[in-house]
Amino acid sequence: MYAPKHRFVVRRVRSQTFLVPIGGNWNSNPALLELDPVGELIITCLPATADAVAQSIAERFDVDKETAREDATEFLEELVMMGLVHRAIDT
């Protein structure tokens, strides 16, 4: 299960979508993170398991679930490394 580590919002500015942190200590992280449509979907699914996120991606973007899971896990792990998301214990 992945969950947000800090509070953030998703904002659209014209044709671009950004993840905007609210408070917290962002040190070396960018103040804004630009998201593509898949990244935006992943963020809006949280908190969720990688499988649940992959299912949403597969349904919305017409890709197979295995590819969706690989892509989702890769992006979620990047967010973990950036300190924006953490791996939560399943309940």
Side-chain angles (χ1 to χ4, degrees):
M1 170 86 64
Y2 292 87
K5 189 171 182 179
H6 300 285
R7 291 184 51 215
F8 50 75
V9 295
V10 174
R11 293 288 184 250
R12 285 203 180 108
V13 179
R14 298 186 189 255
S15 63
Q16 296 175 303
T17 304
F18 297 95
L19 180 68
V20 183
I22 301 174
N25 181 4
W26 298 96
N27 291 334
S28 63
N29 294 327
L32 300 174
L33 178 65
E34 188 173 354
L35 300 172
D36 66 10
V38 176
E40 181 181 1
L41 177 61
I42 291 170
I43 291 295
T44 59
C45 286
L46 298 178
T49 64
D51 283 334
V53 172
Q55 184 65 40
S56 294
I57 293 170
E59 291 170 2
R60 172 94 47 96
F61 295 100
D62 193 30
V63 297
D64 65 274
K65 191 171 178 186
E66 184 57 35
T67 299
R69 189 176 198 298
E70 290 171 6
D71 292 348
T73 300
E74 180 180 338
F75 183 62
L76 288 164
E77 288 300 319
E78 287 177 18
L79 294 173
V80 167
M81 289 175 47
M82 293 173 70
L84 298 172
V85 169
H86 66 101
R87 287 180 217 92
I89 298 172
D90 291 330
T91 56

